[in-house]
Amino acid sequence: MSISANNPSLKSWVEVPTDSDFSIQNLPFGIIKTPNLTPRVAVRIGDKVLDLKTLFVLGYLENLPYELSDFDSEYLNKMMKRGKKATRDLRNRISKLLDVNQADLQKNQHHVDQVLLAVESVDMCMPIQIGDYTDFYSSKEHATNVGVMFRDPANALLPNWLWIPVGYHGRASSVVLSGQSIYRPKGQVKPVETEDPIFAPSSQLDFELEMGFFTYDGKPLGDSISTAEAEEYIFGMCLFNDWSARDIQKWEYIPLGPFLAKNFASSISAWIVTLDAMEPFKVDSPKQTPEVLSYLKFDGLKSYDINLEVAIEPDNAQETVISRSNFKYMYWNMAQQLAHHTVNGCNVRSGDLMGSGTISGPTEDSYGSMLELAWKGTKPLKMNDGTERKFILDKDTVIMRGYSEKDGVRVGFGEVSTKVLPAK
Amino acid sequence: MSISANNPSLKSWVEVPTDSDFSIQNLPFGIIKTPNLTPRVAVRIGDKVLDLKTLFVLGYLENLPYELSDFDSEYLNKMMKRGKKATRDLRNRISKLLDVNQADLQKNQHHVDQVLLAVESVDMCMPIQIGDYTDFYSSKEHATNVGVMFRDPANALLPNWLWIPVGYHGRASSVVLSGQSIYRPKGQVKPVETEDPIFAPSSQLDFELEMGFFTYDGKPLGDSISTAEAEEYIFGMCLFNDWSARDIQKWEYIPLGPFLAKNFASSISAWIVTLDAMEPFKVDSPKQTPEVLSYLKFDGLKSYDINLEVAIEPDNAQETVISRSNFKYMYWNMAQQLAHHTVNGCNVRSGDLMGSGTISGPTEDSYGSMLELAWKGTKPLKMNDGTERKFILDKDTVIMRGYSEKDGVRVGFGEVSTKVLPAK
């Protein structure tokens, strides 16, 4: 597969700062609005955003399988309905329009003024109307850490874990955009010292460092998507914070899984990086032993080298980076997740979201949750302002960042940043 | 609360067979289409359907807070966006138009010919675009039976069950309408006789007799809906078959709950009966011991007396009724379920679906699943055609029916009927 927009030698006539996540090789999609512009599809480059609605009206997107309403929309879903090849052709076209060696748009300053906006001048909107949201549990390090803490250290992984990319359904209605504050959840908790449960704000609010991917329309009910086909059904990826209330989770989750411990909020980053743009950053996956069942086998590279970090910014203080992890650690990859999800005949639709599960690395400073980093509260983390954290406090902002880099090209996700407000 | 449409003495000029679920006191909403008519909102009465789009165009729905596009729609969601009071006023208006003592519509045969269609002449469509789907586990009899079978008979209920209306998130994309066939799911199962799991079509396909309810738009993220407020956020109810593959479920569900065992399909009935129409059938709820936490307490009647039955119709044979249960047996009621779901600040939206959980009664012939009725396969059920069932076989059709009756008024749900096709 050759994707012209991925060419590492491409340079844009739009200035891109060296450490920018949004090189011309990235070109992620999002939804912007301004006081004067209705919500519309846009592409990010450097510190600018390209307004695709206006670009379409000006005729720059001709001979592509799109209509004005695909871009003149408050969500990316309509555009995504056109499928993978259309997205690829669109991204290649935009790449060409932004290429320093191409004059068409570059030399028409009147048009440039209309289509290129400073990122500070626009408001980001929730990019996708999410149909179903599924969360996986695919980091062996994370599952092992949880098993060691709460079950038997000698048998930390449950019997099915090495056979199944374990997943469960989550709540789509409470997925929020980076920048939107959330409220500390309340609920039933069962302290060890009381006989009966009590009702209280969660005192063990945690994040989970994850990445999410969005699907295109899949196959009809009853059909399955193979690992070989999976990438054709994946639109793109984002950073994902799967907020979790550990005390609520502990009391409620047996036997049907996490519910109120998770569904109060999950946060996503604003720019959806296409799977195409991630192609150069593919790497080998961890070896899987025992050998997986045949519907989970795959050929080629299916993991991605994505540097990740988590920071906590206390109220009125500077942030402290508390974890550095990498998406490549995941035991189960996205192709296996999607193949498993549909192997029973379950259907997926344009705009469905799948979370990777907490991305914990092998070392203590690469864990993807406070539960693991502070080891159930036994090893509080020191903040730069002198305070300590076992879990997330009110007015803390949790920030996750991620990017890939290779051959001098950087493709990143920006950040997902969420402030926690006291329980209402 | 006085709802004029519920008056038991009302009679309609539209003929309603005595045993019809669709009396003038019911007036449920659905979506119909015909080869000549685009999908639109309709109301059922007797063996007729009333086309609300045409009724609106003819001016019969004036002075109500609706626009043409609310009825000229492939889903009820737009109409539901107008809220509870609007639905109530609309149902009262339709009741009046169909009242034998009201001449307006009755005496205008030209209009009647346009708005009243024989139910055989229309196709039913999926009535609601479902946002999130949540399933509860609220029958004490069902939870106890499962506990006795799979855990400790002496401690059948898990410690949290009497404190929490246990729930989990399910899959919205695979909810199908009554009449649509489904495919037997495939997946990983772990027979006791093999060391490793194998991949196979499920050999333990089961139904779960449930009822579902649909919500209106709730409150913003961070706010909660109290038990006292809950009914104001519930649009209506349907019959619900929560298809389950017990062998897949057994291997996958620890620790994060059922996933592929459930998400291949769930079936709903076509006509959504408003909560208003169910008002006369309210009854006391089972006593709850221990006393529930205060956010789960409620005043007044919150349970509903709804007769339910399940039948299996083998291929080319007559059906056999295998269970008779009642919705009133549920330990946790809908008001408690919605209060619990939102107590952590989780939001609900117009079109979200909540399943009750399997509705098992106290006797062996009132259980709501094959798992319980045939007691894990140890007591096969005899069919009228001489065959036996431990679980559901290919080409079986499972039919669920439900209705309430009081003071000579019958308000029912019709049926949810689903045929199982062999795995693809």
Side-chain angles (χ1 to χ4, degrees), chain A residues 132 160 163 167 169 171-173 186 188 197 199 223 251 254 259-260 263 295 340 343-344 347 352 424, chain B residues 132 160 163-164 167 169 171-173 186 188 197 199 223 251 254 259-260 263 295 340 343-344 347 352 424:
Chain A
D132 281 293
N160 59 12
W163 294 98
H169 291 293
R171 183 95 193 159
S173 72
K186 300 159 285 186
Q188 279 195 39
F199 181 77
D223 286 335
W251 173 234
I254 295 175
F259 183 52
L260 299 193
N263 68 11
Y295 79 90
H340 182 66
V343 78
N344 65 342
N347 57 342
D352 286 348
K424 266 195 196 175
Chain B
D132 281 293
N160 58 13
W163 294 98
I164 292 179
H169 291 292
R171 185 91 191 161
S173 72
K186 299 159 286 185
Q188 278 196 40
F199 181 76
D223 285 335
W251 173 234
I254 294 174
F259 182 51
L260 300 190
N263 67 12
Y295 79 92
H340 182 65
V343 77
N344 66 341
N347 56 342
D352 287 347
K424 266 196 195 174

Side-chain angles (χ1 to χ4, degrees), chain A residues 131-132 134 137 158-160 163-164 166-174 176 180 183 185-186 188 196-199 221-224 251-260 263-264 293 295-296 340-341 343-344 346-349 352 424, chain B residues 131-132 134 137 158-160 163-164 166-174 176 180 183 185-186 188 196-199 221-224 251-260 263-264 293 295-296 340-341 343-344 346-349 352 424:
Chain A
D132 281 293
T134 298
Y137 183 58
L158 288 162
N160 59 12
W163 294 98
I164 292 178
V166 172
Y168 64 103
H169 291 293
R171 183 95 193 159
S173 72
S174 54
V176 300
Q180 183 178 332
Y183 295 92
K186 300 159 285 186
Q188 279 195 39
D196 295 339
I198 59 168
F199 181 77
L221 215 55
D223 286 335
S224 306
W251 173 234
E252 76 171 359
Y253 90 103
I254 295 175
L256 299 179
F259 183 52
L260 299 193
N263 68 11
F264 59 94
L293 295 187
Y295 79 90
L296 291 169
H340 182 66
H341 203 314
V343 78
N344 65 342
C346 180
N347 57 342
V348 300
R349 301 174 296 187
D352 286 348
K424 266 195 196 175
Chain B
D132 281 293
T134 298
Y137 183 58
L158 288 163
N160 58 13
W163 294 98
I164 292 179
V166 172
Y168 64 103
H169 291 292
R171 185 91 191 161
S173 72
S174 54
V176 301
Q180 182 177 334
Y183 296 92
K186 299 159 286 185
Q188 278 196 40
D196 293 340
I198 59 168
F199 181 76
L221 215 55
D223 285 335
S224 306
W251 173 234
E252 77 171 357
Y253 90 102
I254 294 174
L256 299 180
F259 182 51
L260 300 190
N263 67 12
F264 59 94
L293 295 187
Y295 79 92
L296 291 169
H340 182 65
H341 202 313
V343 77
N344 66 341
C346 181
N347 56 342
V348 300
R349 300 173 297 187
D352 287 347
K424 266 196 195 174

Side-chain angles (χ1 to χ4, degrees), chain A residues 139-176:
Chain A
S139 155
K140 190 172 174 184
E141 290 80 1
H142 172 66
T144 303
N145 286 337
V146 171
V148 167
M149 272 187 267
F150 293 105
R151 288 182 295 265
D152 176 8
N155 294 288
L157 286 181
L158 288 162
N160 59 12
W161 200 92
L162 293 167
W163 294 98
I164 292 178
V166 172
Y168 64 103
H169 291 293
R171 183 95 193 159
S173 72
S174 54
V175 177
V176 300

Side-chain angles (χ1 to χ4, degrees), chain A residues 219-284:
Chain A
K219 298 182 176 180
L221 215 55
D223 286 335
S224 306
I225 295 171
S226 69
T227 56
E229 295 168 324
E231 288 172 13
E232 291 307 302
Y233 293 96
I234 298 176
F235 168 64
M237 299 173 65
C238 66
L239 298 166
F240 187 69
N241 183 347
D242 178 27
W243 291 99
S244 301
R246 301 297 174 195
D247 40 2
I248 295 173
Q249 187 171 353
K250 192 178 170 196
W251 173 234
E252 76 171 359
Y253 90 103
I254 295 175
L256 299 179
F259 183 52
L260 299 193
K262 299 272 194 178
N263 68 11
F264 59 94
S266 317
S267 308
I268 64 170
S269 52
W271 294 102
I272 312 303
V273 178
T274 61
L275 205 62
D276 274 359
M278 297 307 298
E279 187 70 21
F281 309 103
K282 280 181 158 180
V283 291
D284 260 330

Side-chain angles (χ1 to χ4, degrees), chain B residues 141-405:
Chain B
E141 289 80 2
H142 172 67
T144 303
N145 286 338
V146 171
V148 167
M149 274 187 267
F150 293 105
R151 286 182 296 264
D152 176 8
N155 295 288
L157 286 182
L158 288 163
N160 58 13
W161 200 93
L162 293 168
W163 294 98
I164 292 179
V166 172
Y168 64 103
H169 291 292
R171 185 91 191 161
S173 72
S174 54
V175 177
V176 301
L177 188 65
S178 176
Q180 182 177 334
S181 299
I182 63 165
Y183 296 92
R184 177 177 298 272
K186 299 159 286 185
Q188 278 196 40
V189 297
K190 167 72 182 61
V192 282
E193 61 273 19
T194 66
E195 193 175 334
D196 293 340
I198 59 168
F199 181 76
S202 170
S203 61
Q204 298 182 355
L205 180 61
D206 200 355
F207 61 81
E208 290 191 342
L209 168 64
E210 302 195 12
M211 300 213 63
F213 71 86
F214 290 96
T215 59
Y216 290 108
D217 280 330
K219 298 182 178 181
L221 215 55
D223 285 335
S224 306
I225 295 171
S226 68
T227 56
E229 295 168 323
E231 288 171 15
E232 290 308 302
Y233 292 96
I234 298 175
F235 168 63
M237 299 173 66
C238 66
L239 297 165
F240 187 69
N241 183 347
D242 177 26
W243 291 97
S244 301
R246 301 298 176 195
D247 40 3
I248 296 174
Q249 187 171 353
K250 192 179 170 195
W251 173 234
E252 77 171 357
Y253 90 102
I254 294 174
L256 299 180
F259 182 51
L260 300 190
K262 299 272 193 176
N263 67 12
F264 59 94
S266 317
S267 309
I268 64 169
S269 52
W271 294 102
I272 312 303
V273 177
T274 61
L275 205 63
D276 273 359
M278 296 307 298
E279 187 69 22
F281 309 104
K282 282 182 159 178
V283 289
D284 260 328
S285 301
K287 184 168 165 52
Q288 297 185 318
T289 313
E291 187 176 89
V292 298
L293 295 187
S294 47
Y295 79 92
L296 291 169
K297 290 181 182 161
F298 61 93
D299 291 321
L301 303 178
K302 297 288 180 194
S303 291
Y304 295 82
D305 182 0
I306 306 173
N307 304 293
L308 299 166
E309 69 172 33
V310 185
I312 295 178
E313 184 185 280
D315 200 28
N316 295 316
Q318 284 204 314
E319 69 171 48
T320 303
V321 173
I322 57 167
S323 176
R324 289 190 172 85
S325 187
N326 194 303
F327 190 55
K328 72 182 176 190
Y329 296 136
M330 303 306 282
Y331 189 83
W332 298 102
N333 59 54
M334 294 184 283
Q336 291 179 308
Q337 290 169 339
L338 191 52
H340 182 65
H341 202 313
T342 59
V343 77
N344 66 341
C346 181
N347 56 342
V348 300
R349 300 173 297 187
S350 269
D352 287 347
L353 170 63
M354 317 253 164
S356 59
T358 309
I359 306 165
S360 290
T363 57
E364 287 182 14
D365 57 357
S366 65
Y367 294 164
S369 66
M370 286 301 282
L371 181 69
E372 296 163 87
L373 289 162
W375 206 255
K376 259 173 105 178
T378 60
K379 299 178 181 174
L381 298 187
K382 285 221 167 8
M383 300 288 106
N384 293 333
D385 69 355
T387 59
E388 287 190 339
R389 291 291 181 283
K390 296 177 178 177
F391 287 99
I392 302 302
L393 300 183
D394 286 347
K395 300 188 183 172
D396 281 352
T397 299
V398 174
I399 305 159
M400 297 173 178
R401 303 185 184 95
Y403 70 94
S404 297
E405 202 156 27

